[in-house]
Amino acid sequence: MNETADKLFAQIPSVEVAGGHILKGTRGDRYIWGIVVLLALISLLVVYSATGSLAYKMYQGNNEVYLFRQLSFIVLGFVVIYFLHRINYTLYSRISLILYLISVPLLIYTLFFGAEINDGSRWIKLPVINMTIQTSDFARLALFMYLSRQLSRKQEVIKDFKKAFIPLIVPVFITCGLIMPANLSNALLTGATSILLLFIGRVSVKHILLVIAIALIPILLIIGVAVSTHNANTENKAANNSLAQSMQSVGRFGTWVSRVQSFMYAEEQEIPYQVQQSNIAIANGGILFGLGPGNSRQRNFLPQAYNDFIYAIIIEEYGLLGGAFVMFIYLIFLFRCIRVFRRCPYAFGAFLALGLSFTLVIQAVANMAVNVNIVPVTGVTLPLISMGGSSFLFTCASIGIVLSVARNLEQMEGRQMAAAAKANEQVV
């Protein structure tokens, strides 16, 4: 199977740009390159379908506006992947502390002065180009680079609480604590990936369990408030609504409580509109082939059909088989990244590849779980498929760094094979 796949990838022609080959010099895991290309193609198809009616309404019949916008982000994303994968990954170790120290004030600035969109202050607006950037994506990337560096440097004292655990966990708490007020789901995903990386990095299990216990406190608090304030009695609904509204003044606590209540008591109260439309879209898709490309019905009713709920559109148009295929692609990506982790002889590169791949796959699983109503609604996008933005570009940056590790590993193995062949010639 591997030989067949290698032959297929070898037959893929490079893309000529300005008399050269844009893919000339690309190295690393060719399966990961192929997965990125495949997800980008899926993104073009689904985003074009999900935004067709919106583009027609917003731009007076020009249905291709968002298609070309997504195409431009994909091209820019591939440029990011290409240049980052050409950099020796050891450079990321050297700059990881600087990037992390930059991310903390950025998160603080976003928390107090960020652009508020959909009741959350998660973005900062760049002047001149008038583009918004979600600083939590940059902070997450910087955190995993810094954690990988620290884990590689502290392996000899990794079980020590003061020498290893405290320096490792403090950055995680700072980053997640600054992300949480505006984006609880992103903070939880970042924390979960960090804990998983610490576990793989041989941090003491009892220390990890302590972190999990502390992290469960706000989650249990939200669930407790949601249960205590919920009352199926119609007479008390007004009081419950006023209580929820008063909680809105404390960041987004009221939003979290209402989402948990909507998820826990779906049979007793009205299901959120986006969940209803997502369920309808999935039901329309059926088991096999769905309604077909471009034939989605719920794209006109489903909020964020091109972003947070794009997986429901995939199932509607391509059926459960199409949805399972997309999930399979992400699992193959994780498998290839684990392979890079196992082959890499240097701890920093191994932890870096694994940490960045885990966060992307966990984010993809979280998005799919929201779309099929397994977990409460969150604002998590589907990596490389949801409509482009800063999140798309930071995802490409993460993949570029993973490919940098794979590229340098490939070069090192090539030098070792050449040295071994030369040694054999000398013996003969």
Side-chain angles (χ1 to χ4, degrees):
M1 179 179 177
N2 288 341
E3 293 179 358
T4 304
D6 288 338
K7 291 179 181 179
L8 288 174
F9 278 109
Q11 294 173 359
I12 298 177
S14 58
V15 181
E16 295 187 3
V17 177
H21 295 280
I22 196 171
L23 295 182
K24 184 179 180 180
T26 55
R27 295 290 185 273
D29 193 300
R30 287 184 287 179
Y31 292 93
I32 296 179
W33 276 108
I35 287 169
V36 172
V37 172
L38 183 57
L39 290 176
L41 292 175
I42 294 173
S43 176
L44 279 177
L45 290 173
V46 183
V47 167
Y48 180 54
S49 174
T51 59
S53 300
L54 178 64
Y56 184 86
K57 179 180 179 181
M58 297 293 294
Y59 295 95
Q60 300 178 351
N62 188 356
N63 293 17
E64 289 77 25
V65 171
Y66 292 110
L67 172 66
F68 289 113
R69 181 179 182 272
Q70 181 69 1
L71 181 61
S72 65
F73 270 105
I74 289 175
V75 172
L76 183 58
F78 271 92
V79 171
V80 170
I81 294 174
Y82 176 80
F83 282 104
L84 290 183
H85 109 286
R86 295 285 296 176
I87 298 173
N88 192 311
Y89 72 88
T90 57
L91 176 64
Y92 301 123
S93 175
R94 299 171 194 165
I95 65 173
S96 60
L97 177 59
I98 298 174
L99 294 179
Y100 177 75
L101 293 177
I102 292 174
S103 71
V104 173
L106 276 178
L107 288 175
I108 296 174
Y109 177 84
T110 305
L111 189 60
F112 292 100
F113 307 105
E116 188 169 325
I117 303 174
N118 295 331
D119 298 326
S121 181
R122 310 176 188 176
W123 295 264
I124 58 174
K125 184 172 291 187
L126 298 180
V128 183
I129 62 175
N130 198 30
M131 177 182 175
T132 56
I133 291 183
Q134 193 165 336
T135 52
S136 59
D137 292 324
F138 171 74
R140 183 171 54 183
L141 178 60
L143 174 65
F144 293 134
M145 290 170 63
Y146 181 67
L147 273 184
S148 300
R149 173 185 170 86
Q150 290 294 86
L151 280 170
S152 64
R153 291 164 65 93
K154 296 184 178 296
Q155 282 301 301
E156 294 183 359
V157 292
I158 197 64
K159 302 296 183 181
D160 190 277
F161 184 81
K162 291 183 179 180
K163 294 181 180 180
F165 181 69
I166 294 297
L168 286 168
I169 203 61
V170 167
V172 177
F173 272 118
I174 292 174
T175 300
C176 293
L178 291 174
I179 294 175
M180 185 179 68
N183 195 341
L184 177 63
S185 57
N186 202 331
L188 291 176
L189 292 177
T190 302
T193 307
S194 301
I195 291 172
L196 188 57
L197 189 58
L198 294 180
F199 176 76
I200 295 172
R202 301 193 306 115
V203 172
S204 175
V205 175
K206 64 181 180 180
H207 297 158
I208 293 176
L209 292 176
L210 176 63
V211 175
I212 294 175
I214 295 174
L216 284 175
I217 294 175
I219 299 175
L220 294 176
L221 177 62
I222 294 171
I223 296 175
V225 172
V227 172
S228 62
T229 57
H230 174 75
N231 194 325
N233 194 326
T234 307
E235 297 177 358
N236 294 331
K237 280 188 177 181
N240 290 334
N241 290 336
S242 64
L243 179 59
Q245 291 174 1
S246 66
M247 292 178 182
Q248 291 281 3
S249 60
V250 185
R252 288 170 54 81
F253 192 82
T255 302
W256 304 336
V257 170
S258 62
R259 287 180 176 179
V260 171
Q261 286 178 334
S262 299
F263 178 76
M264 293 178 64
Y265 303 104
E267 297 180 357
E268 301 178 20
Q269 61 187 38
E270 185 178 355
I271 300 175
Y273 178 77
Q274 63 266 45
V275 176
Q276 292 180 7
Q277 300 305 318
S278 177
N279 291 339
I280 294 173
I282 292 172
N284 289 340
I287 297 177
L288 294 178
F289 305 111
L291 301 179
N295 293 325
S296 170
R297 301 169 188 164
Q298 298 310 117
R299 62 188 173 192
N300 300 322
F301 309 99
L302 180 60
Q304 299 292 320
Y306 48 84
N307 204 359
D308 297 351
F309 284 89
I310 198 167
Y311 189 65
I313 301 299
I314 292 175
I315 296 178
E316 183 180 21
E317 294 190 349
Y318 300 94
L320 288 178
L321 286 180
F325 176 71
V326 171
M327 184 183 298
F328 179 73
I329 294 174
Y330 285 110
L331 293 178
I332 292 295
F333 171 77
L334 179 61
F335 171 77
R336 298 303 300 184
C337 291
I338 292 175
R339 188 171 181 269
V340 172
F341 164 79
R342 296 181 63 181
R343 291 167 57 204
C344 188
Y346 302 108
F348 172 73
F351 290 136
L352 185 62
L354 199 62
L356 295 180
S357 61
F358 270 139
T359 187
L360 295 181
V361 174
I362 290 175
Q363 179 180 335
V365 172
N367 177 275
M368 296 175 190
V370 168
N371 277 247
V372 298
N373 200 26
I374 295 178
V375 298
V377 176
T378 63
V380 177
T381 59
L382 191 59
L384 287 181
I385 293 183
S386 293
M387 191 164 73
S390 63
S391 179
F392 186 92
L393 296 180
F394 281 116
T395 297
C396 291
S398 299
I399 294 173
I401 294 172
V402 172
L403 285 170
S404 172
V405 178
R407 174 179 174 269
N408 282 272
L409 178 61
E410 182 183 81
Q411 291 177 338
M412 182 187 66
E413 291 176 345
R415 289 192 294 267
Q416 291 175 348
M417 291 177 62
K422 186 176 181 180
N424 291 333
E425 291 177 359
Q426 291 176 351
V427 171
V428 174

